[in-house]
Amino acid sequence: MRDDVFQRWRSLRAGLLVAGVTGILGALFTWWQIERERVIDVEDIDRRARAIAHVLSYTVHDALRGPAENVATRLGKRLEGHSRLLGCAVFGSDGRLLAAGPKLKGFESSISGELTRLLPGDSDRCSTLLDHGRPVRMRAERMLRDDGEAAGTFVVAHDVTFIAERAAARLTQGLFVVVITAVMLATLVGGIAWLAYDRPLQHLADWMRRVRIEDSSEAPPVWLPSSQLVSETNRLAASYRAARTATFQEAHEAARSDRIWTSGRLRAHALDCLGIGNQLVVVSSREPYLHVRRDGKPHAVVPPGGVVTAVDPVLQACGGVWIAHGTGEADRETADAVGRLTVPPADPRYTLRRVWMTPRENDAYYGCCNDAIWPMCLLAHERPIFRTSDWQHYVAMNRRFADAVLEEVGGGQAIVLVQDYQMALVPQMVREVRPDLRICLFWHIPWPSVDAIRICPWREEILRGMLGADVIGFHLQQYCNSFLDTVDRMLEAKLDRDHFTAEVRGHVSRVRALPISVQPWSERGVPAGPALDRRHEALREAMGLQGVEVAVGVDRIDHTKGLPERLRAFAHFLQKYPQHRGRVSLVQLAAPSRLHLKRYQDHLEELVHYAEQINSQFATEGWKPIHLLVDQHDAGTVHAFLSMATIAIVSSLHDGMNLVAKEYVLAQDGLGGCLILSEFAGAAEQLTDALVINPYDTEQFADAIRYAVEMPADERSERMRRLRRHVDEHNIYRWAAELLSGMHAVTPAKARAAAGRKALV
Ligand code: ADQ
């Protein structure tokens, strides 16, 4: 039991150790001090004895010149002592006592015994004797005649009991101080050790037990003795959860078709591809979870956006680190000193490492991303603006992200997945330092024609940065072709169009079409079955949608999403087919984005104005044609509308893929929905059973809406069944698995170099 207490409370041991060491050191110091004082006191007494002998020397000489019997009479009172001086004594040259003070009575023999130790050559001698237990300090001085012959010895004796008494008092005092100090230090050190180490480690152990035995998903304790321990604990917990989920799911998956990729199957595949000791590191500008403040407390939010929708489930399945720009107002307070935390907050599975920017860096970096590269790649008729200072910040921020990647990888191995156009230079920056890492860049937006890229003043730098990757992924083959054409025209590169590779300065990059996708709704914690029916009912009632067919749109508010074109087409549909007025409403979920840019604010205002105009033109009592819900909605709300709607409209003017189209298909469990899809969204190449439209062609667009409304039920379900099969089979896990397989096939530079050396031998 006592052992257990000591084992558990190491702080107690630390306190006792400190107390012991303090006690020993304190006792030694006290002893040394007492000894020093004793020496000083004795020296002082000896000095006094010498002074007395000096003062009386003439008188003693004088007395010794007369008859020996008269010495006592002649010296008289001078032999007596007072206070600490016991008295003086005179011995003849033959050692016989001639005279002594009264206080020395009975002590003379001890003194004369001591005189025998006064050697012939010595002029004086000091020593301490005991007189019935009382310490006496004696000083004997040889007296000489004028002819140099010994006349006798003069002795001065002091009572030095006070020195022993003082030492005893000092000892008591010193030990008292030592004990008090030791107790105080023991309490202080033990207390601090308990607060700083024992208690947090005890909490950590309890938390680990709960995670292991009770399958708890709570976050690890925050107050751990070192920030490195916090982040390593978070990572370990995230990896452990990911591993456990994989194990649980494996049995379940075995029963499922080989064609369907699941998170567990991806996890197993990732372990194969990564190998032992490798980790997955994702880097993107947008973070998967940001923290806002609500009611004074930090609250985690998933920002709307395709990169997050697609990549978060991959990291949840495989574990790893996601490096991203921390943009939430409460981001700093929810991460550790390095910027790390584990996510998802409710059930941590991987580490999020936040990278910070100053407001100036933020404006210039995103200025380059949003005003230059984005409009250059997306043909939405916006003129790109190329500012040199924005570019300088783009380079600097890419360097910052690359440094964060290198820091996270440390001395280990990793597959680095660089996401999107905000990170174009990161692959080369990472490769320069760590050529042995396997790096992939996935470009989520379209890659336009050579002519569109030619206008960019930094086209060569961007291409060289991208070509630092081993694999460069695009959604469509058409983007891969354009990219190789661009490299061919702009750089000195060796292209292999059969194998889709580009070699620049000895490094080969493979260019691959990897159409991205989404995860099943069932994994996103949204209501299903009766709970979902109740949600539909509640929404219909709150919005006055009973008995009305719902068409839905879900988008970030961006010029490329074709929102004005959608509203215009819907208005034209109502105008052209008045029989459908009062029977169909368009619910548009619109997440504000990039609102710091004036043209995005104007775009939002334009949409609000346009929707009001259409509503005032067509609305009737109890029916509103357009419900524009400007907000970033949670996954449950997005799913509720997508599953309730019999029509979904995706009218992007240009889009790499567009995940909303796939999310809609996966939300249609009853197969009763119809998808209207822009031919300029990458998804149109795969979702061929959608009604494909040109969003600029209002006439055709309005007719497609009418066709969707009037489509016979069996055609709807037949189209939706085929769409569903495609998205089920080509989900996000398959995308990630294909990407990791592509990375696995890459031979890292070190291995290539070794193979080269072997070949030479
Ligand atoms: P994005 O242009 O952001 O992505 P997209 O593919 O349309 O977009 O995905 C948007 C995501 O945000 C979807 O998951 C959607 O549900 C969500 N979302 C949109 N509006 C929302 C709202 N109001 N509230 C809540 N959630 C909302 C980029 C490219 C795309 C490419 C993806 C993935 O521009 O072409 O498909 O990356 O590669």
Side-chain angles (χ1 to χ4, degrees):
M1 173 67 191
R2 237 173 96 237
D3 275 351
D4 189 32
V5 168
F6 270 69
Q7 195 61 32
R8 255 172 101 90
W9 306 109
R10 284 162 196 278
S11 44
L12 191 62
R13 288 197 285 174
L16 289 179
L17 184 71
V18 170
V21 172
T22 312
I24 291 170
L25 290 178
L28 283 174
F29 180 71
T30 308
W31 173 83
W32 173 80
Q33 224 179 5
I34 290 170
E35 200 49 32
R36 207 167 134 262
E37 275 183 19
R38 197 188 61 75
V39 169
I40 291 169
D41 284 343
V42 168
E43 282 175 351
D44 188 44
I45 287 292
D46 289 346
R47 227 182 346 265
R48 281 198 214 181
R50 199 179 308 122
I52 291 169
H54 181 71
V55 168
L56 295 181
S57 63
Y58 287 108
T59 317
V60 175
H61 267 289
D62 219 10
L64 282 172
R65 260 190 226 116
E69 295 71 20
N70 294 343
V71 171
T73 326
R74 294 182 69 175
L75 283 171
K77 288 223 168 258
R78 303 210 141 188
L79 293 171
E80 289 179 23
H82 41 81
S83 87
R84 283 169 191 157
L85 175 66
L86 277 178
C88 303
V90 182
F91 290 83
S93 55
D94 53 359
R96 193 161 50 90
L97 175 70
L98 300 180
K103 288 188 189 164
L104 294 181
K105 281 272 180 293
F107 188 47
E108 304 89 336
S109 57
S110 306
I111 296 175
S112 83
E114 192 62 24
L115 288 186
T116 57
R117 300 183 189 192
L118 187 64
L119 301 174
D122 291 343
S123 64
D124 58 27
R125 175 182 159 80
C126 296
S127 53
T128 306
L129 309 176
L130 277 180
D131 174 22
H132 301 100
R134 178 180 63 170
V136 173
R137 184 71 180 172
M138 172 199 120
R139 182 174 185 279
E141 186 175 328
R142 206 185 289 282
M143 311 301 287
L144 299 176
R145 286 205 201 98
D146 294 342
D147 58 4
E149 283 300 312
T153 310
F154 182 59
V155 175
V156 180
H158 278 94
D159 180 355
V160 288
T161 313
F162 78 98
I163 296 181
E165 284 170 353
R166 191 184 288 174
R170 280 265 188 276
L171 185 66
T172 319
Q173 220 174 42
L175 288 182
F176 180 73
V177 171
V178 165
V179 169
I180 293 291
T181 312
V183 169
M184 278 170 57
L185 271 178
T187 315
L188 196 70
V189 171
I192 290 175
W194 183 73
L195 279 175
Y197 288 92
D198 261 335
R199 204 166 67 134
L201 291 178
Q202 191 57 46
H203 286 172
L204 181 65
D206 292 343
W207 169 80
M208 282 175 168
R209 194 184 42 75
R210 285 197 297 278
V211 169
R212 188 171 50 81
I213 296 170
E214 298 163 23
D215 198 10
S216 157
S217 59
E218 67 181 284
V222 185
W223 299 108
L224 291 180
S226 93
S227 60
Q228 201 185 350
L229 185 59
V230 175
S231 63
E232 287 304 330
T233 306
N234 282 334
R235 287 171 179 214
L236 195 67
S239 308
Y240 175 75
R241 288 196 178 102
R244 190 179 50 200
T245 309
T247 315
F248 286 155
Q249 286 181 348
E250 255 154 34
H252 179 63
E253 276 161 27
R256 296 182 67 178
S257 160
D258 252 11
R259 287 171 302 150
I260 308 290
W261 277 86
T262 60
S263 66
R265 192 174 160 197
L266 171 65
R267 164 90 187 155
H269 182 73
L271 289 177
D272 274 354
C273 294
L274 286 165
I276 294 165
N278 280 286
Q279 60 171 333
L280 204 55
V281 177
V282 169
V283 55
S284 73
S285 70
R286 186 172 297 225
E287 56 181 334
Y289 298 89
L290 58 82
H291 282 91
V292 293
R293 207 167 286 116
R294 277 190 203 150
D295 305 325
K297 289 191 191 134
H299 183 88
V301 173
V302 178
V307 177
V308 171
T309 304
V311 183
D312 176 62
V314 175
L315 267 194
Q316 284 207 34
C318 302
V321 186
W322 186 327
I323 299 163
H325 177 199
T327 50
E329 57 185 344
D331 270 6
R332 281 186 195 259
E333 67 194 74
T334 44
D336 67 12
V338 185
R340 293 193 191 111
L341 67 158
T342 48
V343 289
D347 183 15
R349 273 152 198 277
Y350 64 90
T351 302
L352 169 61
R353 158 84 188 270
R354 287 173 174 153
V355 170
W356 313 113
M357 290 183 200
T358 63
R360 167 84 189 99
E361 289 169 342
N362 180 85
D363 290 351
Y365 170 66
Y366 287 108
C368 183
C369 298
N370 300 331
D371 293 343
I373 305 178
W374 171 268
M376 176 179 74
C377 290
L378 286 130
L379 307 178
H381 313 293
E382 265 191 81
R383 180 178 289 180
I385 304 167
F386 301 105
R387 297 182 205 96
T388 307
S389 73
D390 286 359
W391 169 250
Q392 285 161 351
H393 279 87
Y394 183 85
V395 176
M397 292 306 107
N398 270 242
R399 171 80 53 206
R400 189 168 297 169
F401 282 108
D403 288 346
V405 169
L406 293 167
E407 211 177 295
E408 289 302 324
V409 174
Q413 282 299 320
I415 286 188
V416 183
L417 303 181
V418 183
Q419 305 297 318
D420 225 356
Y421 64 99
Q422 297 95 339
M423 301 282 150
L425 309 181
V426 171
Q428 183 56 23
M429 288 172 170
V430 172
R431 171 164 307 288
E432 275 161 13
V433 183
R434 288 291 305 271
D436 55 319
L437 297 182
R438 282 175 282 180
I439 306 167
C440 166
L441 168 67
F442 195 83
W443 198 262
H444 289 261
I445 59 176
W447 188 269
S449 66
V450 183
D451 286 337
I453 297 289
R454 265 178 63 197
I455 62 171
C456 178
W458 323 298
R459 59 200 183 189
E460 277 193 36
E461 288 91 327
I462 290 177
L463 288 174
R464 285 190 199 287
M466 294 173 74
L467 287 163
D470 298 295
V471 173
I472 303 173
F474 295 97
H475 292 301
L476 306 181
Q477 188 58 47
Q478 165 200 336
Y479 302 152
C480 298
N481 299 347
S482 290
F483 179 75
L484 281 184
D485 289 346
T486 312
V487 173
D488 198 17
R489 286 274 293 278
M490 313 268 169
L491 296 182
E492 284 278 318
K494 204 158 95 191
L495 299 190
D496 178 344
R497 290 195 187 259
D498 291 337
H499 298 101
F500 274 84
T501 59
E503 185 179 337
V504 176
R505 293 183 189 150
H507 176 250
V508 179
S509 302
R510 299 152 189 237
V511 181
R512 295 284 177 270
L514 295 162
I516 207 161
S517 193
V518 288
Q519 71 181 141
W521 280 107
S522 57
E523 295 175 3
R524 291 173 73 174
V526 297
L532 181 59
D533 295 340
R534 284 196 295 279
R535 187 85 204 267
H536 287 164
E537 260 325 295
L539 285 173
R540 282 188 183 278
E541 199 177 320
M543 297 173 64
L545 291 170
Q546 284 106 334
V548 174
E549 195 163 336
V550 172
V552 72
V554 181
D555 302 81
R556 282 188 305 105
I557 300 178
D558 193 290
H559 301 80
T560 60
K561 299 293 178 185
L563 295 173
E565 286 74 7
R566 191 178 306 175
L567 298 187
R568 196 174 303 129
F570 195 72
H572 190 58
F573 156 74
L574 296 175
Q575 184 69 45
K576 193 170 171 185
Y577 304 105
Q579 68 275 24
H580 289 301
R581 290 183 200 169
R583 292 172 58 192
V584 190
S585 286
L586 172 62
V587 177
Q588 177 63 52
L589 310 191
S593 82
R594 305 177 189 173
L595 279 184
H596 56 286
L597 301 177
K598 169 105 177 42
R599 60 181 196 282
Y600 278 80
Q601 290 167 17
D602 294 345
H603 191 51
L604 170 59
E605 276 171 28
E606 179 196 3
L607 289 175
V608 173
H609 174 71
Y610 205 12
E612 280 169 1
Q613 208 181 3
I614 296 169
N615 282 340
S616 64
Q617 187 181 349
F618 294 105
T620 58
E621 177 102 23
W623 173 69
K624 193 170 154 188
I626 294 181
H627 296 259
L628 180 61
L629 309 180
V630 178
D631 204 351
Q632 181 186 320
H633 302 276
D634 57 36
T637 308
V638 172
H639 175 250
F641 278 110
L642 288 178
S643 51
M644 177 165 79
T646 44
I647 299 168
I649 307 179
V650 172
S651 54
S652 313
L653 305 182
H654 201 192
D655 217 338
M657 175 55 67
N658 196 294
L659 295 181
V660 179
K662 296 188 175 182
E663 286 177 330
Y664 176 65
V665 169
L666 289 187
Q668 287 299 308
D669 288 337
L671 306 178
C674 180
L675 174 65
I676 297 176
L677 180 57
S678 163
E679 63 179 291
F680 307 121
E685 208 170 86
Q686 298 153 31
L687 305 182
T688 47
D689 276 288
L691 297 182
V692 177
I693 50 126
N694 172 357
Y696 295 99
D697 184 345
T698 310
E699 205 63 42
Q700 181 215 35
F701 197 163
D703 287 348
I705 298 175
R706 192 204 73 159
Y707 189 61
V709 174
E710 295 175 0
M711 189 184 282
D714 48 354
E715 184 184 344
R716 271 174 183 260
S717 60
E718 198 41 50
R719 281 174 181 265
M720 191 48 78
R721 193 187 322 279
R722 287 194 294 264
L723 288 172
R724 184 70 186 244
R725 189 185 312 138
H726 179 89
V727 183
D728 273 342
E729 288 176 11
H730 296 83
N731 62 17
I732 189 63
Y733 302 120
R734 179 170 178 161
W735 173 82
E738 285 177 359
L739 192 133
L740 289 174
S741 301
M743 296 302 294
H744 186 51
V746 170
T747 320
K750 260 189 189 165
R752 272 201 304 275
R757 277 196 299 276
K758 243 185 190 170
L760 284 174
V761 172

